[in-house]
Amino acid sequence: MSLRKRLFSAALIILMAAGALYVGKSGMMISDSTAESIFRHKESIYFWYTDETLTDYLNSAAVAYNETKEDIRVVPVLVSANDYLEAINKASLEGESVPDVYLLPHDSLEKAYLSGLATQVKDYDNVCNTDSFHQVALDAVTYHDKIVAYPFYYETSVLLYNKTYLKEHATRQLEEEAQAAAEETGEVTDTEEVAVDETVSEEAESEKAAEIAERVNQMLPETMDDILTFGNEYDAPEHVEAIFKWDVADVFYNYFFIGKHMILGGDTGDGSSNIDIYNLDTMKCLQVFQNLNEFFSIDASEVSYQEVVRDFLTGKIVYTVVTSDILKTLENAVIADESEESFAYEYGFAEVPNPSAELEGRALSMTGSVAINGYSKNIKEANEFAKFLTCDFTKDLYDRTGKLSAHKMEYTEGSGFDVFAQAYEQSIPMPKMVEVSNFWMQLEIAMRDIWEGSDINASLKALSEQIMTQVTGQPYTEEYIHLEVGEEPEFTDGEIIEEDTVTNRDLFDTKIMGILTPAPSVVQRTFAEKYAVSPVE
């Protein structure tokens, strides 16, 4: 007899003895319904995850869910992030404590689905739609027109700016404009100053504040040219070291330059016949990216996201690009210097700017998803808990975990959460094709080289040929696209990938095994470090 059975038998004997003692003392018999309640077996639903910061939250979710179910109990299981899918597969095949439902980055869903570890969700309550989730969240968990997981939380990037600096600049602009207008009408002479009424009414102060706020909103950059224009006009305080600084070495913070024009699997990231890396629009976006090094001179070998955040907190930067971790950082911002003063500025968020007026930007996003194990014997119950976790138990997700819910929520305007939600809605999910899982590492290398002056055309063409060779399974050569530095040619798509050049995707072993499982990408590693999930290899 196994240890678990021996312990259960012992517990059963104790319960029976206690029952007998109660009957002996009270003279009452245990009813059939009471006995059934005492000895009823609850089916266990095992929920696997790898992020320790989720433990308290998931335990609370399990307790809340278990209270609503008489025959089901959810058991959260924290496991190692190393070889995560492989561990799920092993546990599923061995048949004991099978992970019925588990947390997974959305870009690993193809591998999970093709190996049988993820299955199409059973949307019993009809929640997998745009009433509950943004379309980008549904795209992230869609594989070949099937929703194969529930969106849980997300990460993307936005523009962070020092609102104090912009308000000061707006105030100076308005004052200069008022003085110029007064001089033009002859109300003051060249040597006179515009009088300032120190007894300005409360109403006038309110109007002035509204005017400043409106001007600040007008200053928010829609394109990179707007940032450069601001830099030329801005009379920066002495301690401001950069108008715009970001982590140019990390593709997650760079991708918005090319995200609209570089196609890798389409919106759902699973279409191997829908790839267009080497095209004129993307090259022109990279021209804008490369040219910015002349203005901002950021050393890609030395810059880091942590350094950029630190510089923003100390007032050295006006604009930067950040991910959602910044929300808690700003909430708790304390400058680690001798004075230990709190963050001394107002700040605001906006969506990342477009590369230019002609070229659109689009930020990258990653979605944490809740997948249903195809090997589970409790598919219905697993789906019900997944729906509860991602739709019904999301109110305190950020407060308790620092993660932004993929479920649609109402946010206060100007809170920062609203801008992240808007940015997520407009973002492009990381693709989930196994063949291109090394793309992010290669793109990051290419963009770093381009930032430092490498030939844009040659770098992008080489990247596309490498990825297309992996996808098609045979050597691939791109037709050269002419691009003169500084030219403004008409935007046209690059070479169209013919359907018949795409390798057969029905062969599971060629997609999951062997050379098509390269090292995890930089973006995958970044997400894994942030959320303690395994970058699936």
Side-chain angles (χ1 to χ4, degrees):
M1 182 181 294
S2 69
L3 176 61
R4 186 170 66 176
K5 289 182 178 179
R6 289 200 301 271
L7 291 175
F8 179 77
S9 298
L12 187 61
I13 291 171
I14 292 172
L15 285 172
M16 292 176 67
L21 180 62
Y22 176 79
V23 171
K25 287 188 174 183
S26 66
M28 298 175 59
M29 296 297 293
I30 300 176
S31 67
D32 290 343
S33 61
T34 303
E36 182 181 354
S37 175
I38 292 175
F39 300 114
R40 178 188 294 124
H41 172 66
K42 282 195 171 187
E43 188 70 42
S44 294
I45 303 297
Y46 294 97
F47 178 85
W48 278 27
Y49 66 104
T50 62
D51 186 347
E52 189 174 0
T53 65
L54 283 170
T55 296
D56 289 343
Y57 183 80
L58 291 176
N59 284 337
S60 296
V63 169
Y65 185 76
N66 292 343
E67 289 176 351
T68 68
K69 300 292 180 180
E70 294 184 356
D71 302 316
I72 298 293
R73 66 175 185 134
V74 172
V75 182
V77 181
L78 176 64
V79 298
S80 171
N82 296 327
D83 301 321
Y84 183 45
L85 269 183
E86 286 74 7
I88 293 173
N89 184 65
K90 182 179 178 181
S92 300
L93 295 176
E94 290 179 351
E96 280 198 27
S97 301
V98 174
D100 302 277
V101 58
Y102 58 94
L103 190 58
L104 189 72
H106 86 266
D107 66 325
S108 296
L109 284 172
E110 179 183 80
K111 183 174 182 180
Y113 181 80
L114 292 177
S115 59
L117 297 177
T119 186
Q120 185 173 2
V121 304
K122 307 295 184 184
D123 191 11
Y124 300 111
D125 296 320
N126 191 31
V127 297
C128 293
N129 52 54
T130 53
D131 290 334
S132 301
F133 300 100
H134 294 299
Q135 185 60 51
V136 66
L138 299 175
D139 288 343
V141 297
T142 295
Y143 179 68
H144 287 192
D145 299 324
K146 298 181 179 69
I147 294 179
V148 296
Y150 294 82
F152 188 18
Y153 54 80
Y154 69 88
E155 183 61 285
T156 192
S157 58
V158 302
L159 189 74
L160 171 66
Y161 61 91
N162 188 310
K163 184 181 285 188
T164 298
Y165 291 158
L166 266 61
K167 288 174 72 173
E168 291 172 350
H169 185 57
T171 301
R172 284 195 296 270
Q173 277 190 343
L174 291 168
E175 289 175 350
E176 290 170 0
E177 290 169 7
Q179 181 169 350
E183 291 174 351
E184 186 175 342
T185 59
E187 293 182 6
V188 294
T189 65
D190 293 340
T191 58
E192 289 178 321
E193 296 182 357
V194 177
V196 178
D197 185 355
E198 296 182 357
T199 60
V200 179
S201 69
E202 185 175 325
E203 181 180 353
E205 284 286 2
S206 178
E207 290 177 358
K208 181 180 178 182
E211 194 174 7
I212 292 172
E214 183 180 356
R215 180 60 61 92
V216 167
N217 286 333
Q218 293 172 359
M219 288 179 182
L220 297 182
E222 295 183 2
T223 69
M224 294 308 304
D225 284 339
D226 293 336
I227 290 182
L228 297 178
T229 299
F230 174 85
N232 290 331
E233 298 174 348
Y234 183 52
D235 184 14
E238 185 176 347
H239 58 277
V240 172
E241 298 179 357
I243 299 300
F244 184 36
K245 184 178 181 181
W246 75 104
D247 186 357
V248 299
D250 191 325
V251 71
F252 204 90
Y253 303 101
N254 285 332
Y255 195 77
F256 72 92
F257 281 95
I258 57 176
K260 180 69 175 181
H261 303 287
M262 180 178 285
I263 308 301
L264 204 67
D267 286 341
T268 54
D270 58 2
S272 61
S273 61
N274 189 14
I275 298 178
D276 187 10
I277 298 170
Y278 180 60
N279 61 68
L280 195 54
D281 290 358
T282 301
M283 282 193 283
K284 288 200 64 64
C285 290
L286 289 171
Q287 270 191 341
V288 174
F289 174 72
Q290 187 179 67
N291 291 340
L292 289 175
N293 199 6
E294 298 178 13
F295 295 93
F296 303 119
S297 302
I298 304 169
D299 190 338
S301 64
E302 295 184 1
V303 71
S304 70
Y305 180 66
Q306 291 73 23
E307 174 205 344
V308 170
V309 170
R310 167 71 184 180
D311 285 349
F312 182 85
L313 294 178
T314 51
K316 296 178 182 179
I317 302 174
V318 180
Y319 296 105
T320 188
V321 179
V322 293
T323 38
S324 64
D325 55 281
I326 197 67
L327 291 165
K328 279 197 177 296
T329 299
L330 288 168
E331 286 176 8
N332 306 310
V334 173
I335 308 306
D337 60 13
E338 295 180 356
S339 64
E340 291 292 326
E341 294 178 357
S342 298
F343 180 54
Y345 307 93
E346 290 183 77
Y347 58 87
F349 296 95
E351 292 187 52
V352 289
N354 292 323
S356 71
E358 296 81 18
L359 298 161
E360 295 184 53
R362 194 174 181 188
L364 192 64
S365 65
M366 173 69 85
T367 301
S369 63
V370 178
I372 310 302
N373 191 347
Y375 290 94
S376 171
K377 296 180 180 178
N378 304 295
I379 295 291
K380 183 177 186 298
E381 292 78 8
N383 272 273
E384 289 175 347
F385 175 69
K387 179 264 179 182
F388 172 81
L389 181 65
T390 59
C391 294
D392 303 330
F393 198 78
T394 59
K395 181 180 179 182
D396 299 324
L397 178 62
Y398 173 78
D399 290 338
R400 298 182 61 180
T401 69
K403 294 172 172 57
L404 297 174
S405 174
H407 192 263
K408 282 185 175 180
M409 301 181 73
E410 294 292 332
Y411 294 116
T412 303
E413 185 177 355
S415 64
F417 297 98
D418 57 329
V419 177
F420 270 97
Q422 293 163 12
Y424 180 54
E425 186 175 8
Q426 300 300 321
S427 69
I428 180 73
M430 288 181 65
K432 47 184 86 73
M433 292 178 289
V434 176
E435 301 99 327
V436 302
S437 57
N438 67 330
F439 171 75
W440 303 105
M441 182 179 294
Q442 300 305 318
L443 176 62
E444 186 160 280
I445 294 170
M447 291 192 74
R448 181 180 297 194
D449 290 343
I450 289 169
W451 177 258
E452 295 175 347
S454 293
D455 184 84
I456 295 170
N457 200 323
S459 297
L460 194 63
K461 184 173 184 291
L463 174 64
S464 182
E465 289 173 346
Q466 176 182 346
I467 297 303
M468 289 307 301
T469 296
Q470 293 174 194
V471 172
T472 63
Q474 57 188 353
Y476 192 95
T477 302
E478 290 280 10
E479 181 179 346
Y480 184 81
I481 301 175
H482 184 70
L483 173 68
E484 289 288 345
V485 176
E487 273 191 345
E488 296 288 343
E490 292 183 3
F491 301 135
T492 58
D493 292 332
E495 182 180 10
I496 297 175
I497 302 168
E498 298 296 337
E499 182 73 30
D500 59 4
T501 65
V502 181
T503 190
N504 187 341
R505 296 172 60 83
D506 294 331
L507 300 179
F508 164 77
D509 56 347
T510 64
K511 295 180 61 57
I512 301 302
M513 309 302 292
I515 62 170
L516 295 183
T517 54
S521 70
V522 175
V523 173
Q524 287 175 313
R525 292 200 307 273
T526 300
F527 188 80
E529 290 167 2
K530 240 180 189 188
Y531 296 112
V533 297
S534 174
V536 179
E537 299 184 7

